[in-house]
Amino acid sequence: MTARARTDARRAAVLGSPIAHSLSPVLHRAAYTELGLGDWSYDRFEVDEEALPGFFAELGPEWAGLSLTMPLKRAVMPLLDEISDTAASVEAVNTVVFGADGRSVGDNTDIPGMVAALRERGIEEVDSAAILGAGATASSALAALARICTGEVVAYVRSEGRAAEMRQWGERLDVEVRTADWADAEQALRAPLVIATTPAGTTDALAAAVPERPATLFDVLYDPWPTDLAARWSAYGGAVVSGLDLLLHQAVLQVEQMTGRSPAPLDAMRKAGEHALAAR
């Protein structure tokens, strides 16, 4: 991207496919309102991997940044001028910031967002953890655990191919990873920290196996909420971190990077997100 004169009105947006469900506009717009950025706008665009290069080519100098969801987190990387170490570590970019010189910089705020969401609930360090699932979010979870877990991480997966991928991510991220079959996933629920990264409905059958004194569950889903697993976990007195917590904390970091204003208004963004989910 070449340097171009900026305009006063700034734009940002979330891209992905599907994208209609995204809460990102609600969170970012709430931040702009609280920060007094009346000339800023944040939209959503249905963009798939094939359309992404063309979308980038049409961006003007008014653009401050982009949020990216699936399936674009890896597809965007060849289009960028620079990629942060955090994003490179998991080969996934969820944040693009356009500098005054026109350079595009990709980052991943999901990883520090996970850490911040856990820290907000008092989870600074754990001696072991379990991950349910082995998709893209699971690799970000591993990267987050690299910062807070001092011991073994057990990943519960459905195939040996997925198991091999998780072990490779563990080696790359310097995390001690052991894999186990999904059929034994009930054992995961006794870990000090359980991170559920699977699609809606996948963990419902595990709800009946929640122990009487569960520790902490981080379920990355937020709609529908609560999941059966999260509801049972809460009923038994366990701590639950939700997908909204993750979305919120990664969005806080995006707002700060795109606007240059810090701290972002966490409370106002949370209230807006909760209100939007309640309205659904």
Side-chain angles (χ1 to χ4, degrees):
M1 206 174 185
T2 57
R4 291 162 294 183
R6 282 188 172 182
T7 59
D8 291 335
R10 306 307 308 280
R11 296 188 67 183
V14 59
L15 315 181
S17 183
I19 201 61
H21 69 286
S22 177
L23 273 182
S24 292
V26 171
L27 301 181
H28 284 254
R29 291 169 186 168
Y32 297 166
T33 298
E34 193 72 12
L35 294 170
L37 300 176
D39 54 352
W40 281 63
S41 64
Y42 189 102
D43 302 297
R44 62 166 69 89
F45 292 95
E46 182 83 16
V47 178
D48 60 16
E49 292 168 283
E50 184 178 356
L52 185 61
F55 187 93
F56 254 71
E58 295 297 320
L59 295 177
E62 73 277 12
W63 283 89
L66 297 170
S67 307
L68 301 168
T69 186
M70 300 304 292
L72 306 179
K73 293 184 179 183
R74 183 169 294 179
V76 75
M77 295 177 70
L79 305 176
L80 303 176
D81 295 311
E82 183 180 340
I83 297 171
S84 72
D85 290 343
T86 300
S89 73
V90 291
E91 298 180 359
V93 166
N94 79 325
T95 306
V96 176
V97 176
F98 300 109
D101 58 357
R103 286 179 60 81
S104 54
V105 180
D107 194 15
N108 187 307
T109 62
D110 285 333
I111 295 166
M114 282 187 176
V115 174
L118 287 165
R119 184 177 295 124
E120 187 178 35
R121 302 301 176 90
I123 309 298
E124 300 276 354
E125 184 178 284
V126 291
D127 57 15
S128 63
I131 295 178
L132 299 174
T137 306
S139 61
S140 292
L142 267 183
L145 288 171
R147 304 183 182 194
I148 67 168
C149 184
T150 60
E152 181 183 68
V153 176
V154 184
Y156 292 82
V157 301
R158 293 187 182 277
S159 70
E160 178 51 39
R162 290 290 196 177
E165 289 178 7
M166 288 299 284
R167 290 192 294 267
Q168 290 170 2
W169 280 116
E171 291 176 7
R172 179 169 179 168
L173 296 164
D174 197 23
V175 179
E176 182 184 353
V177 174
R178 176 168 63 86
T179 55
D181 191 272
W182 184 264
D184 299 320
E186 291 183 1
Q187 297 176 16
L189 308 185
R190 300 187 181 277
L193 171 62
V194 181
I195 305 182
T197 69
T198 52
T202 307
T203 62
D204 288 355
L206 297 176
V210 173
E212 289 187 3
R213 295 182 179 180
T216 300
L217 170 68
F218 194 155
D219 194 325
V220 302
L221 296 173
Y222 64 84
D223 188 16
W225 185 261
T227 62
D228 288 358
L229 181 60
R232 180 66 66 92
W233 202 277
S234 293
Y236 279 17
V240 175
V241 185
S242 74
L244 179 59
D245 294 316
L246 169 58
L247 187 67
L248 175 66
H249 281 281
Q250 65 83 29
V252 161
L253 296 170
Q254 288 184 335
V255 168
E256 291 174 353
Q257 289 188 28
M258 293 178 191
T259 67
R261 302 280 290 273
S262 183
L266 176 68
D267 290 342
M269 294 169 70
R270 174 179 279 119
K271 288 177 183 177
E274 290 174 345
H275 179 76
L277 281 179
R280 291 183 180 181

